[in-house]
Amino acid sequence: MPTCHSTNDTAREHVRNTDIIEGAVFITDDQTKGKGQRGNSWEAAPGQNLTFSVVLKPSFLKADKQFYLNIVASLAVNDTIESFMPNAEVLVKWPNDVYLNSKKVAGILVENSFQGSRLSNTIVGIGLNVNQQTFKVNTATSLHNEGAGELDLQTVLNALLMNLEKYYLSLKREQYDSLKQAYYSRLLGFGQSRRYLAEYEFEGIITKVEDSGYLVIESKQGEHRFDFKEVQFLF
Ligand code: BTN
């Protein structure tokens, strides 16, 4: 689409009202009302970045394992960036922001619907900053700004979709352990002592992410479990 409000919302409307096939991709050059996690917005300069959503139908997946869809999307974005920038530091910040050389380069918004105890439809929305050169905040970056030069958006999209399919098929084959290990190996703060802010500031080590998505941090006071909005990383 040349323009649209939010590819996640457009994809959702099609899933509701039409018999859309799994794997359908909704992509726009100019997303005017992009949605982020926690009610935030996602802004991207028109024609310079990737803003798209993929429709999945993971009816094989139990609802209590829903976070594997975030893992699949995070790994796909991570691998894609690494394939264009082999020497860069690419990390996932839980739950699924992607950081390139310590700045946010991509955001992922996974929206699930359920049928009983299983998933029915999932919209995986991905915003990846590719060629944009100026940002309102200095905590954001693009592949271009970290040294990749000007990239062809279609080439980056193709690589990302191939990686997404690879990890999604691995999920379909129930390769939970290898997906989790791959996620941990790219997870900011995993096995390292860092500072966090919840109701109070504390130092801790991420020891695991539960299948439902809860983040587990071990501190001197014991083990803490956090839902999506309940903890902030301090840099
Ligand atoms: C975040 O960082 O909070 C997630 C951002 C997700 C942005 C993408 S852009 C394509 C898709 N459509 C949306 O409205 N949001 C996602």
Side-chain angles (χ1 to χ4, degrees):
M1 298 166 283
T3 180
C4 88
H5 286 164
S6 155
T7 56
N8 266 40
D9 289 350
T10 307
R12 168 78 53 220
E13 279 160 32
H14 280 78
V15 166
R16 271 204 202 113
N17 302 324
T18 62
D19 197 13
I20 198 91
I21 56 161
E22 179 168 56
V25 178
F26 292 81
I27 180 158
T28 187
D29 289 332
D30 184 11
Q31 183 169 254
T32 53
K33 238 181 153 183
K35 299 191 301 181
Q37 297 167 48
R38 299 172 291 271
N40 291 334
S41 62
W42 180 260
E43 289 177 31
Q48 298 174 26
N49 304 298
L50 288 176
T51 45
F52 68 99
S53 304
V54 182
V55 176
L56 298 175
K57 302 199 171 187
S59 51
F60 57 87
L61 193 66
K62 291 226 176 95
D64 61 7
K65 288 198 173 342
Q66 60 180 289
F67 192 70
Y68 279 97
L69 292 159
N70 298 64
I71 291 181
V72 160
S74 308
L75 291 175
V77 175
N78 224 283
D79 280 17
T80 305
I81 298 170
E82 280 174 1
S83 70
F84 290 95
M85 309 193 64
N87 299 319
E89 183 198 58
V90 194
L91 290 171
V92 182
K93 178 167 156 265
W94 176 87
N96 49 17
D97 290 341
V98 181
Y99 275 66
L100 171 58
N101 297 336
S102 306
K103 290 183 172 190
K104 182 161 169 171
V105 70
I108 300 167
L109 180 63
V110 176
E111 297 185 291
N112 293 322
S113 28
F114 303 89
Q115 199 149 43
S117 63
R118 288 183 182 269
L119 272 290
S120 54
N121 296 302
T122 294
I123 314 287
V124 177
I126 296 177
L128 171 62
N129 298 331
V130 181
N131 293 322
Q132 186 169 333
Q133 293 182 29
T134 50
F135 291 90
K136 282 186 192 153
V137 288
N138 65 5
T139 47
T141 194
S142 62
L143 300 189
H144 176 282
N145 284 6
E146 298 307 310
E150 183 92 3
L151 294 171
D152 175 49
L153 291 180
Q154 187 67 51
T155 307
V156 181
L157 176 69
N158 289 350
L160 216 165
L161 293 175
M162 294 291 281
N163 283 321
L164 191 64
E165 181 164 18
K166 179 182 88 177
Y167 284 115
Y168 185 60
L169 291 177
S170 156
L171 178 60
K172 227 172 180 170
R173 281 187 235 106
E174 302 185 358
Q175 294 170 336
Y176 300 118
D177 285 350
S178 71
L179 285 168
K180 203 53 106 45
Q181 288 314 319
Y183 183 72
Y184 287 155
S185 73
R186 295 156 169 91
L187 187 64
L188 178 72
F190 184 77
Q192 290 165 355
S193 190
R194 298 182 65 91
R195 295 204 68 75
Y196 297 91
L197 177 65
E199 278 157 11
Y200 46 89
E201 210 180 301
F202 68 99
E203 191 165 323
I205 298 176
I206 296 178
T207 53
K208 71 175 176 183
V209 177
E210 295 177 358
D211 291 356
S212 57
Y214 274 82
L215 180 72
V216 181
I217 304 179
E218 189 111 15
S219 80
K220 273 194 202 129
Q221 290 78 36
E223 200 176 82
H224 315 252
R225 285 174 76 242
F226 297 104
D227 202 353
F228 282 6
K229 297 165 201 158
E230 293 174 351
V231 66
Q232 267 181 50
F233 287 59
L234 298 174
F235 286 92

